[in-house]
Amino acid sequence: MIKLSALIIDDEFHARENLKAMLGDYCPEIEVIGEAESAQTARKIIYEKNPEVIFLDINMPVMDGFDFLESLPERNFSVVFVSAHMEYGIRAVKARAVDYLLKPLSIKELQLCVKNLININKKDTQVPANETSGKHKIVLTHFQGFSVYETNEIIRFEAENNYTKVFIAGKKPMTISKPLKYFEDTGGEGFFRIHKSHLINLKFLKEFINQDGGYVILQDGTKLEISRRKISEFTEKVKTILK
C-alpha cells in the first residue's frame, strides 16, 4: 500500500486534532508527520521533513493559506485546502490544489480526496519503459489530468518560480506544478541540468559556445546560458552520449 506523508496546517488546535484523528481512523494511506499552527512553523517542518501532502487551512492570522504557498521558494508537494468557507474555490483552482474540503469534514469526501492523492502519486512516480522500443516515457501531471510523452519528445525544462515549464517538440509549452529538481531526477540519462533554471535534452543540442560565459544552442534555435561550474561536467557528458 502506498503511504503518503502529510503535514496539517491550521491555527485551530481542535481542527488539527480532528483532521489527524479522521485520517488515522479512515485513511491509512496517509501518515501525518507534523502539525503547524502558523506559516512560520509550517515552513520549518516542510524544509526538515519534506511532506508529500499538505492539508492547509485558508483563514489564518498574519499569513493566509494562499499567501503562504506564494511565499515558498519551491513547492514539491500536493495541496488540499481545508476551509469552513465555500467562496475560495476559484482561488484554490488557480493555486493548483488537488482538492478543497469543507468543514465540518465528511468522511466520504476525505476518503475520496485521499484516493485522488494516491492516484496522482502513482502517475508522478511511475515513469514506465516502452518494452518494444526501449524508449522511456514521462508523465506530466497537470490540474486537468495528465499527459504521457516519450522523453525524446521533450526538448527542455525551465524553472518558473515553484513550477516547471516543459517544452515539447511540436507542442505548446506546458506548465507543471513540480520543481525542476523532480524532472532532473526522473528524466533519465539523456537530460542534463546546465543551469539552475534549465534542464535540456541532449538529443536536441546543436552547439556549445565557450564564449560570453558559455551557452548552448538547441535545434529549435533556443540559446541558453550554461553555468561555468557545469561546463566541464557538461562536455564529459556529451562525449559519453556521443560514444
Coordinates of all heavy atoms in Angstrom, one line a residue, residues 41-124:
T41 N 5.9 28.1 11.5 CA 6.2 26.7 11.9 C 6.1 25.7 10.7 O 6.9 24.8 10.6 CB 5.2 26.3 13.0 OG1 5.2 27.3 14.1 CG2 5.4 24.9 13.5
A42 N 5.1 25.9 9.9 CA 4.9 25.1 8.7 C 6.1 25.1 7.8 O 6.5 24.0 7.3 CB 3.6 25.5 8.0
R43 N 6.6 26.3 7.6 CA 7.8 26.4 6.7 C 9.0 25.6 7.2 O 9.7 24.9 6.4 CB 8.2 27.8 6.5 CG 9.1 28.1 5.4 CD 9.4 29.6 5.2 NE 8.2 30.3 4.7 CZ 7.5 31.1 5.4 NH1 7.7 31.4 6.6 NH2 6.4 31.7 4.8
K44 N 9.2 25.6 8.5 CA 10.3 24.9 9.1 C 10.1 23.4 8.9 O 11.0 22.6 8.6 CB 10.4 25.2 10.6 CG 11.6 24.5 11.3 CD 11.6 24.9 12.7 CE 12.8 24.2 13.4 NZ 12.8 24.6 14.9
I45 N 8.9 22.9 9.2 CA 8.6 21.4 9.0 C 8.7 21.0 7.6 O 9.3 19.9 7.3 CB 7.2 21.1 9.6 CG1 7.1 21.4 11.1 CG2 6.8 19.7 9.3 CD1 5.7 21.3 11.6
I46 N 8.3 21.8 6.7 CA 8.4 21.4 5.2 C 9.9 21.3 4.9 O 10.2 20.3 4.2 CB 7.8 22.5 4.4 CG1 6.2 22.5 4.5 CG2 8.1 22.3 2.9 CD1 5.5 23.6 3.8
Y47 N 10.7 22.2 5.3 CA 12.1 22.1 4.9 C 12.8 20.9 5.6 O 13.7 20.3 5.0 CB 12.9 23.4 5.3 CG 12.5 24.6 4.5 CD1 12.6 25.9 5.0 CD2 11.9 24.4 3.2 CE1 12.2 27.0 4.3 CE2 11.6 25.5 2.5 CZ 11.7 26.8 3.0 OH 11.3 27.9 2.3
E48 N 12.4 20.6 6.8 CA 13.0 19.5 7.6 C 12.5 18.1 7.2 O 13.3 17.1 7.1 CB 12.8 19.7 9.1 CG 13.6 20.9 9.7 CD 13.3 21.1 11.1 OE1 12.4 20.4 11.7 OE2 14.0 21.9 11.7
K49 N 11.2 18.0 6.9 CA 10.6 16.7 6.7 C 10.1 16.4 5.3 O 9.7 15.3 5.0 CB 9.4 16.5 7.7 CG 9.9 16.5 9.2 CD 8.8 16.1 10.1 CE 9.3 16.1 11.5 NZ 8.2 15.7 12.5
N50 N 10.0 17.4 4.5 CA 9.6 17.3 3.1 C 8.3 16.4 2.9 O 8.3 15.4 2.3 CB 10.8 16.6 2.3 CG 10.5 16.7 0.8 OD1 9.9 17.7 0.3 ND2 11.1 15.8 0.0
P51 N 7.2 16.9 3.4 CA 5.9 16.1 3.3 C 5.5 16.1 1.8 O 5.8 16.9 1.0 CB 4.9 16.9 4.1 CG 5.5 18.3 4.1 CD 7.0 18.2 4.1
E52 N 4.7 15.0 1.5 CA 4.2 14.8 0.2 C 2.9 15.5 0.0 O 2.5 15.7 -1.2 CB 4.1 13.3 -0.1 CG 5.5 12.6 -0.2 CD 5.4 11.1 -0.1 OE1 5.0 10.6 0.9 OE2 5.7 10.5 -1.1
V53 N 2.2 15.7 1.1 CA 0.8 16.3 1.0 C 0.7 17.4 2.2 O 1.3 17.1 3.3 CB -0.3 15.3 1.2 CG1 -1.7 15.9 1.2 CG2 -0.2 14.2 0.2
I54 N 0.1 18.5 1.9 CA -0.2 19.5 2.9 C -1.7 19.7 2.9 O -2.3 20.0 1.9 CB 0.5 20.8 2.6 CG1 2.0 20.6 2.9 CG2 -0.1 21.9 3.4 CD1 2.8 21.9 2.7
F55 N -2.3 19.5 4.1 CA -3.7 19.9 4.3 C -3.7 21.3 5.0 O -3.2 21.5 6.1 CB -4.4 18.9 5.3 CG -4.6 17.5 4.7 CD1 -3.6 16.5 4.8 CD2 -5.7 17.2 4.0 CE1 -3.8 15.3 4.3 CE2 -5.9 16.0 3.4 CZ -4.9 15.0 3.6
L56 N -4.2 22.3 4.2 CA -3.9 23.7 4.5 C -5.2 24.5 4.8 O -6.1 24.5 3.9 CB -3.1 24.3 3.3 CG -2.8 25.8 3.4 CD1 -1.9 26.1 4.6 CD2 -2.1 26.2 2.1
D57 N -5.3 25.0 5.9 CA -6.4 25.9 6.2 C -6.2 27.3 5.5 O -5.0 27.6 5.2 CB -6.5 26.2 7.7 CG -7.7 27.0 8.2 OD1 -8.7 27.0 7.4 OD2 -7.6 27.7 9.2
I58 N -7.2 28.0 5.2 CA -7.1 29.2 4.4 C -7.0 30.4 5.3 O -6.1 31.2 5.2 CB -8.2 29.4 3.4 CG1 -8.1 28.3 2.3 CG2 -8.2 30.7 2.7 CD1 -9.3 28.3 1.3
N59 N -8.0 30.6 6.2 CA -8.1 31.7 7.1 C -7.2 31.5 8.3 O -7.6 30.8 9.3 CB -9.6 32.0 7.5 CG -10.4 32.5 6.4 OD1 -9.9 33.2 5.5 ND2 -11.6 32.1 6.3
M60 N -6.0 32.1 8.3 CA -5.1 32.0 9.4 C -4.6 33.4 9.7 O -4.5 34.3 8.7 CB -4.0 31.1 9.1 CG -4.4 29.6 8.9 SD -2.9 28.5 8.8 CE -2.2 29.1 7.3
P61 N -4.2 33.8 10.9 CA -3.7 35.1 11.2 C -2.3 35.3 10.6 O -1.6 34.4 10.3 CB -3.6 35.1 12.7 CG -3.5 33.6 13.1 CD -4.3 32.9 12.1
V62 N -1.9 36.6 10.4 CA -0.7 37.0 9.8 C -0.6 36.7 8.3 O -0.4 37.5 7.5 CB 0.5 36.4 10.6 CG1 1.8 37.0 10.0 CG2 0.4 36.7 12.1
M63 N -0.6 35.4 8.0 CA -0.5 35.0 6.6 C -1.5 33.9 6.3 O -1.5 32.8 6.9 CB 0.9 34.5 6.3 CG 1.2 34.0 4.9 SD 2.9 33.5 4.6 CE 3.8 35.0 4.8
D64 N -2.4 34.1 5.3 CA -3.4 33.1 5.0 C -2.8 32.0 4.1 O -1.6 32.1 3.7 CB -4.6 33.7 4.3 CG -4.4 34.2 2.9 OD1 -3.4 33.8 2.2 OD2 -5.2 35.1 2.4
G65 N -3.6 31.0 3.8 CA -3.1 29.8 3.1 C -2.5 30.1 1.7 O -1.5 29.6 1.3
F66 N -3.2 31.0 1.0 CA -2.7 31.4 -0.4 C -1.4 32.1 -0.3 O -0.5 31.8 -1.1 CB -3.8 32.2 -1.1 CG -5.1 31.5 -1.3 CD1 -6.3 31.8 -0.6 CD2 -5.1 30.4 -2.2 CE1 -7.4 31.1 -0.8 CE2 -6.3 29.7 -2.4 CZ -7.5 30.1 -1.7
D67 N -1.3 33.1 0.6 CA -0.1 33.8 0.7 C 1.1 32.9 1.2 O 2.2 33.1 0.8 CB -0.2 35.0 1.8 CG -1.2 36.1 1.2 OD1 -1.3 36.2 0.0 OD2 -1.7 36.8 2.1
F68 N 0.8 32.0 2.0 CA 1.8 31.0 2.5 C 2.4 30.3 1.3 O 3.6 30.1 1.2 CB 1.2 30.1 3.5 CG 2.1 28.9 3.8 CD1 3.2 29.1 4.5 CD2 1.7 27.6 3.4 CE1 4.1 28.0 4.8 CE2 2.5 26.5 3.7 CZ 3.7 26.7 4.4
L69 N 1.5 29.7 0.4 CA 2.0 29.0 -0.7 C 2.9 29.9 -1.6 O 3.9 29.4 -2.1 CB 0.8 28.4 -1.5 CG 0.0 27.3 -0.9 CD1 -1.1 26.9 -1.9 CD2 0.9 26.1 -0.6
E70 N 2.5 31.1 -1.8 CA 3.2 32.0 -2.7 C 4.6 32.4 -2.1 O 5.5 32.7 -2.8 CB 2.4 33.3 -3.0 CG 1.2 33.0 -3.8 CD 0.4 34.3 -4.1 OE1 0.8 35.4 -3.6 OE2 -0.7 34.2 -4.7
S71 N 4.7 32.3 -0.8 CA 5.9 32.7 -0.1 C 7.0 31.6 -0.2 O 8.2 31.9 0.1 CB 5.6 33.0 1.4 OG 5.4 31.8 2.1
L72 N 6.6 30.4 -0.6 CA 7.6 29.3 -0.6 C 8.4 29.3 -1.9 O 7.9 29.5 -3.0 CB 6.8 27.9 -0.5 CG 6.0 27.6 0.7 CD1 5.3 26.3 0.6 CD2 7.0 27.6 1.9
P73 N 9.7 29.2 -1.8 CA 10.6 29.2 -3.0 C 10.4 28.0 -3.9 O 10.7 28.1 -5.1 CB 12.0 29.3 -2.4 CG 11.9 28.7 -1.0 CD 10.5 29.0 -0.5
E74 N 10.0 26.9 -3.3 CA 9.8 25.7 -4.0 C 8.6 24.9 -3.5 O 8.3 24.9 -2.3 CB 11.0 24.8 -4.0 CG 11.0 23.6 -4.9 CD 12.4 22.9 -4.9 OE1 12.6 22.1 -3.9 OE2 13.1 23.1 -5.8
R75 N 7.8 24.3 -4.4 CA 6.6 23.6 -3.9 C 6.7 22.1 -4.5 O 6.3 21.9 -5.6 CB 5.4 24.3 -4.4 CG 4.1 23.7 -4.0 CD 2.9 24.6 -4.4 NE 1.7 23.9 -4.7 CZ 0.6 24.5 -5.1 NH1 0.6 25.9 -5.2 NH2 -0.5 23.9 -5.4
N76 N 7.1 21.2 -3.6 CA 7.3 19.8 -4.1 C 6.3 18.9 -3.3 O 6.7 17.9 -2.7 CB 8.7 19.4 -3.8 CG 9.0 18.1 -4.5 OD1 8.3 17.7 -5.5 ND2 10.0 17.4 -4.1
F77 N 5.0 19.3 -3.2 CA 4.0 18.6 -2.5 C 2.6 18.9 -3.1 O 2.5 19.9 -3.8 CB 4.0 18.9 -1.0 CG 4.0 20.4 -0.8 CD1 2.8 21.2 -0.8 CD2 5.2 21.1 -0.5 CE1 2.8 22.5 -0.6 CE2 5.2 22.5 -0.2 CZ 4.0 23.2 -0.3
S78 N 1.7 18.0 -2.8 CA 0.3 18.3 -3.2 C -0.4 19.1 -2.1 O -0.1 18.9 -0.9 CB -0.4 16.9 -3.4 OG 0.2 16.2 -4.5
V79 N -1.4 19.9 -2.5 CA -2.1 20.8 -1.6 C -3.6 20.4 -1.5 O -4.2 20.3 -2.6 CB -1.9 22.2 -1.9 CG1 -2.8 23.1 -1.0 CG2 -0.5 22.7 -1.9
V80 N -4.1 20.2 -0.3 CA -5.5 20.1 -0.1 C -5.9 21.2 0.8 O -5.5 21.3 1.9 CB -5.9 18.7 0.5 CG1 -7.4 18.7 0.8 CG2 -5.4 17.6 -0.4
F81 N -6.8 22.1 0.3 CA -7.3 23.2 1.2 C -8.4 22.6 2.0 O -9.3 21.9 1.6 CB -7.8 24.4 0.3 CG -6.7 25.2 -0.2 CD1 -6.5 25.3 -1.6 CD2 -5.9 26.0 0.6 CE1 -5.5 26.1 -2.1 CE2 -4.9 26.8 0.1 CZ -4.7 26.8 -1.2
V82 N -8.4 23.1 3.3 CA -9.5 22.7 4.2 C -10.0 24.0 4.8 O -9.3 24.7 5.5 CB -8.9 21.8 5.4 CG1 -10.1 21.4 6.3 CG2 -8.2 20.6 4.8
S83 N -11.3 24.3 4.6 CA -11.9 25.6 5.0 C -13.3 25.4 5.3 O -14.0 24.5 4.9 CB -11.7 26.6 3.8 OG -12.3 27.8 4.1
A84 N -13.8 26.4 6.2 CA -15.2 26.4 6.5 C -15.9 27.3 5.6 O -17.2 27.5 5.7 CB -15.3 27.0 8.0
H85 N -15.2 27.9 4.6 CA -15.9 28.8 3.6 C -15.8 28.3 2.2 O -14.8 27.8 1.8 CB -15.1 30.2 3.7 CG -15.1 30.7 5.1 ND1 -16.1 31.4 5.7 CD2 -14.1 30.7 6.1 CE1 -15.8 31.8 6.9 NE2 -14.6 31.3 7.2
M86 N -16.9 28.5 1.5 CA -17.0 28.0 0.1 C -16.4 28.9 -0.9 O -16.1 28.5 -2.0 CB -18.5 27.7 -0.2 CG -19.1 26.6 0.6 SD -20.9 26.3 0.1 CE -20.6 25.7 -1.5
E87 N -16.3 30.2 -0.6 CA -16.1 31.2 -1.6 C -14.6 31.2 -2.2 O -14.3 32.0 -3.1 CB -16.4 32.6 -1.1 CG -15.5 33.0 0.1 CD -16.1 32.7 1.5 OE1 -17.0 31.8 1.5 OE2 -15.8 33.5 2.4
Y88 N -13.7 30.4 -1.7 CA -12.4 30.4 -2.1 C -12.1 29.3 -3.2 O -10.9 29.1 -3.5 CB -11.4 30.2 -1.0 CG -11.5 31.3 0.1 CD1 -12.0 31.0 1.3 CD2 -11.0 32.6 -0.2 CE1 -12.1 32.0 2.3 CE2 -11.1 33.6 0.8 CZ -11.6 33.3 2.0 OH -11.7 34.2 3.0
G89 N -13.1 28.7 -3.7 CA -12.9 27.6 -4.6 C -12.2 28.0 -5.9 O -11.3 27.2 -6.3
I90 N -12.5 29.1 -6.5 CA -11.8 29.5 -7.7 C -10.3 29.8 -7.4 O -9.4 29.4 -8.2 CB -12.5 30.8 -8.3 CG1 -13.9 30.5 -8.7 CG2 -11.7 31.3 -9.5 CD1 -14.1 29.5 -9.7
R91 N -10.0 30.5 -6.3 CA -8.6 30.7 -6.0 C -7.9 29.4 -5.7 O -6.7 29.3 -6.0 CB -8.5 31.6 -4.7 CG -8.9 33.0 -5.0 CD -8.6 33.9 -3.8 NE -7.2 34.1 -3.6 CZ -6.6 34.7 -2.6 NH1 -7.4 35.2 -1.6 NH2 -5.3 34.8 -2.5
A92 N -8.6 28.4 -5.2 CA -7.9 27.1 -4.9 C -7.6 26.4 -6.2 O -6.5 25.8 -6.3 CB -8.9 26.2 -4.1
V93 N -8.4 26.6 -7.2 CA -8.2 26.0 -8.5 C -6.9 26.7 -9.1 O -6.0 26.0 -9.6 CB -9.4 26.2 -9.5 CG1 -9.0 25.8 -10.9 CG2 -10.5 25.3 -9.0
K94 N -6.9 28.0 -9.0 CA -5.7 28.7 -9.6 C -4.4 28.4 -8.8 O -3.4 28.5 -9.4 CB -6.0 30.2 -9.5 CG -7.1 30.7 -10.5 CD -7.3 32.2 -10.4 CE -8.4 32.6 -11.4 NZ -8.6 34.1 -11.4
A95 N -4.6 28.0 -7.6 CA -3.4 27.7 -6.8 C -3.0 26.2 -7.0 O -2.1 25.7 -6.3 CB -3.7 27.9 -5.3
R96 N -3.7 25.6 -7.9 CA -3.4 24.2 -8.3 C -3.5 23.2 -7.1 O -2.7 22.3 -7.0 CB -2.0 24.1 -8.9 CG -1.9 24.9 -10.2 CD -0.5 24.8 -10.8 NE -0.4 25.6 -12.0 CZ -0.6 25.1 -13.2 NH1 -1.1 23.9 -13.4 NH2 -0.5 25.9 -14.3
A97 N -4.6 23.4 -6.3 CA -4.9 22.5 -5.3 C -5.4 21.2 -5.8 O -6.1 21.2 -6.8 CB -5.9 23.1 -4.3
V98 N -5.2 20.1 -5.2 CA -5.7 18.8 -5.6 C -7.2 18.7 -5.2 O -8.0 18.1 -5.9 CB -4.9 17.6 -4.9 CG1 -5.6 16.3 -5.1 CG2 -3.5 17.6 -5.5
D99 N -7.5 19.3 -4.0 CA -8.9 19.2 -3.6 C -9.2 20.4 -2.6 O -8.3 21.1 -2.2 CB -9.1 17.9 -2.8 CG -10.6 17.4 -3.0 OD1 -11.5 18.2 -3.2 OD2 -10.8 16.1 -2.9
Y100 N -10.5 20.5 -2.3 CA -11.0 21.6 -1.5 C -12.0 21.0 -0.6 O -13.1 20.7 -1.0 CB -11.5 22.7 -2.4 CG -11.9 24.0 -1.7 CD1 -11.0 25.1 -1.6 CD2 -13.2 24.2 -1.1 CE1 -11.4 26.3 -0.9 CE2 -13.6 25.4 -0.5 CZ -12.6 26.4 -0.4 OH -13.0 27.6 0.2
L101 N -11.7 20.8 0.7 CA -12.6 20.2 1.6 C -13.2 21.2 2.5 O -12.6 22.1 3.1 CB -11.8 19.1 2.5 CG -11.1 18.0 1.7 CD1 -10.4 17.1 2.7 CD2 -12.2 17.2 1.0
L102 N -14.5 21.1 2.7 CA -15.3 22.0 3.6 C -15.4 21.4 5.0 O -15.7 20.2 5.2 CB -16.6 22.2 3.0 CG -16.7 23.2 1.8 CD1 -18.1 23.2 1.2 CD2 -16.2 24.6 2.1
K103 N -15.2 22.3 6.0 CA -15.5 22.0 7.4 C -17.0 22.2 7.6 O -17.6 23.1 7.1 CB -14.7 22.9 8.3 CG -13.2 22.8 8.1 CD -12.5 23.8 9.1 CE -11.0 23.8 8.9 NZ -10.4 24.8 9.8
P104 N -17.6 21.3 8.4 CA -17.1 20.1 9.1 C -16.8 19.1 8.0 O -17.6 18.9 7.1 CB -18.2 19.7 10.1 CG -19.5 20.3 9.5 CD -19.0 21.6 8.8
L105 N -15.7 18.3 8.3 CA -15.3 17.4 7.3 C -16.2 16.2 7.2 O -16.7 15.7 8.2 CB -13.9 16.9 7.6 CG -12.8 18.0 7.6 CD1 -11.5 17.4 8.1 CD2 -12.6 18.5 6.2
S106 N -16.4 15.7 5.9 CA -17.1 14.5 5.6 C -16.1 13.3 5.5 O -15.1 13.5 4.8 CB -17.9 14.7 4.4 OG -18.2 13.4 3.8
I107 N -16.4 12.2 6.1 CA -15.5 11.0 6.0 C -15.4 10.6 4.5 O -14.3 10.3 4.0 CB -16.0 9.9 6.9 CG1 -16.0 10.3 8.3 CG2 -15.2 8.6 6.6 CD1 -16.6 9.2 9.3
K108 N -16.5 10.6 3.9 CA -16.6 10.1 2.5 C -15.7 11.0 1.6 O -14.9 10.6 0.7 CB -18.0 10.0 2.0 CG -18.1 9.5 0.5 CD -19.6 9.4 0.1 CE -19.7 8.9 -1.3 NZ -21.1 8.8 -1.8
E109 N -15.9 12.4 1.8 CA -15.2 13.3 0.9 C -13.7 13.2 1.2 O -12.8 13.4 0.3 CB -15.7 14.8 1.2 CG -17.1 15.0 0.7 CD -17.2 14.9 -0.8 OE1 -16.2 15.4 -1.5 OE2 -18.2 14.4 -1.3
L110 N -13.3 13.0 2.5 CA -11.9 12.9 2.9 C -11.3 11.7 2.2 O -10.2 11.7 1.7 CB -11.8 12.9 4.4 CG -10.3 12.8 4.9 CD1 -9.5 14.0 4.5 CD2 -10.4 12.6 6.4
Q111 N -12.0 10.6 2.2 CA -11.5 9.3 1.6 C -11.4 9.5 0.1 O -10.4 8.9 -0.5 CB -12.5 8.2 2.0 CG -12.4 7.7 3.4 CD -13.4 6.6 3.8 OE1 -14.5 6.6 3.3 NE2 -13.0 5.7 4.6
L112 N -12.3 10.1 -0.5 CA -12.2 10.4 -2.0 C -11.0 11.2 -2.3 O -10.3 11.0 -3.3 CB -13.5 11.0 -2.5 CG -14.7 10.1 -2.6 CD1 -16.0 11.0 -3.0 CD2 -14.5 9.0 -3.6
C113 N -10.8 12.2 -1.5 CA -9.6 13.1 -1.6 C -8.3 12.3 -1.5 O -7.4 12.5 -2.4 CB -9.7 14.2 -0.6 SG -8.2 15.2 -0.5
V114 N -8.2 11.5 -0.5 CA -7.0 10.7 -0.3 C -6.8 9.7 -1.5 O -5.7 9.5 -2.0 CB -7.1 9.9 1.0 CG1 -5.9 8.9 1.1 CG2 -7.0 10.9 2.2
K115 N -7.9 9.1 -2.0 CA -7.8 8.2 -3.2 C -7.2 9.0 -4.4 O -6.4 8.4 -5.1 CB -9.2 7.7 -3.5 CG -9.2 6.7 -4.7 CD -10.6 6.2 -4.9 CE -10.6 5.2 -6.1 NZ -12.0 4.7 -6.4
N116 N -7.7 10.2 -4.6 CA -7.2 11.0 -5.6 C -5.7 11.3 -5.4 O -4.9 11.3 -6.4 CB -8.0 12.3 -5.7 CG -7.7 13.1 -7.0 OD1 -7.3 12.6 -8.0 ND2 -7.9 14.4 -6.9
L117 N -5.3 11.6 -4.2 CA -3.9 11.9 -3.9 C -3.0 10.7 -4.2 O -1.9 10.8 -4.8 CB -3.7 12.2 -2.4 CG -4.2 13.6 -2.0 CD1 -4.3 13.7 -0.5 CD2 -3.3 14.7 -2.6
I118 N -3.5 9.5 -3.9 CA -2.8 8.2 -4.2 C -2.6 8.1 -5.7 O -1.6 7.7 -6.2 CB -3.5 7.0 -3.6 CG1 -3.5 7.1 -2.0 CG2 -2.8 5.7 -4.0 CD1 -2.1 7.1 -1.4
N119 N -3.7 8.3 -6.4 CA -3.7 8.1 -7.9 C -2.7 9.1 -8.5 O -1.9 8.7 -9.4 CB -5.0 8.3 -8.5 CG -6.0 7.2 -8.2 OD1 -5.5 6.0 -8.0 ND2 -7.3 7.4 -8.2
I120 N -2.7 10.3 -8.0 CA -1.7 11.3 -8.6 C -0.3 10.9 -8.3 O 0.6 11.0 -9.1 CB -2.0 12.7 -8.0 CG1 -3.3 13.3 -8.5 CG2 -0.9 13.7 -8.2 CD1 -3.8 14.5 -7.9
N121 N -0.1 10.4 -7.1 CA 1.3 9.9 -6.7 C 1.8 8.8 -7.6 O 2.9 8.8 -8.0 CB 1.3 9.5 -5.2 CG 2.7 9.1 -4.8 OD1 3.0 7.9 -4.7 ND2 3.5 10.0 -4.4
K122 N 0.9 7.9 -7.9 CA 1.2 6.8 -8.8 C 1.6 7.3 -10.2 O 2.6 6.8 -10.7 CB 0.1 5.8 -8.9 CG -0.2 4.9 -7.7 CD -1.4 4.1 -8.0 CE -1.7 3.2 -6.8 NZ -2.9 2.4 -7.0
K123 N 0.9 8.2 -10.7 CA 1.2 8.8 -12.0 C 2.5 9.5 -12.0 O 3.3 9.5 -13.0 CB 0.1 9.7 -12.5 CG -1.3 9.0 -12.7 CD -2.4 10.0 -12.8 CE -3.7 9.4 -12.8 NZ -4.8 10.4 -12.7
D124 N 2.8 10.2 -10.9 CA 4.0 11.0 -10.8 C 5.3 10.2 -10.7 O 6.3 10.5 -11.2 CB 4.0 12.0 -9.6 CG 3.1 13.2 -9.9 OD1 2.8 13.4 -11.1 OD2 2.7 13.9 -8.9

